[in-house]
Amino acid sequence: KGRVWMIFPDLKECELAKAEWAGQRYQEATFTTIQAVTNYLATGENGNGSGGGYDAPWGENLMSGLSKMIGGKDGDAGLLGDQASLDPLVEGENSPAKLWLVIQPGNGGPVEDWVNCEKMALSSPDTTMVVINGALDKVRGGFSPAV
């Protein structure tokens, strides 16, 4: 997989995008989530390890726990998405990333998305981060007050 990472707010969005975006250019990218990247960088394998790990929204914590309970001895029941949709982040292969395309964090979603994006940026300052549709449509459309 490539050093351009498509980073989604949650596992289900990553799973859906990977299935729907079947073009070669998309499939050459690394598909992952804010949680996977934040946790990967917090280990210190790539980045400086100062990120402190993923800050999960309370709803995600609740659903993750429920999914694990339902999964029983087999593990996660997949309520939040299919873990197989995540591409592995491997130092020397697709890591360090050259470009992070963070898709739509915070658009009606949790503030933790932005906190985790900041952690990512601080842990890997040499990687360019581009946030796509981070609720900017609401600012331009008049939903939110002008800055």
Side-chain angles (χ1 to χ4, degrees), residues 42-128:
T43 66
E45 292 176 36
N46 181 26
N48 60 23
S50 66
Y54 179 69
D55 284 333
W58 70 269
E60 183 175 333
N61 281 330
L62 177 68
M63 290 305 295
S64 177
L66 180 61
S67 187
K68 288 175 183 164
M69 282 178 29
I70 292 171
K73 63 181 169 89
D74 295 327
D76 195 332
L79 294 179
L80 296 176
D82 183 1
Q83 290 287 333
S85 65
L86 290 175
D87 291 326
L89 305 177
V90 181
E91 185 67 32
E93 286 184 27
N94 62 356
S95 177
K98 291 183 178 179
L99 175 65
W100 289 331
L101 295 173
V102 184
I103 316 297
Q104 199 175 1
N107 189 10
V111 71
E112 288 87 355
D113 285 350
W114 293 108
V115 171
N116 289 311
C117 284
E118 180 181 30
K119 287 181 177 187
M120 290 162 43
L122 293 173
S123 291
S124 190
D126 293 334
T127 302
T128 300

Side-chain angles (χ1 to χ4, degrees), residues 1 3 9 12-13 17-18 25-26 40 42 47 49-50 52-53 77 80 88-89 93 98 110 129 139 141:
K1 290 295 180 169
R3 291 187 187 249
K12 192 62 173 178
E13 297 223 17
K18 198 168 194 179
R25 294 273 186 209
Y26 288 120
Y40 176 73
S50 66
L80 296 176
L89 305 177
E93 286 184 27
K98 291 183 178 179
M129 178 187 293
V139 173

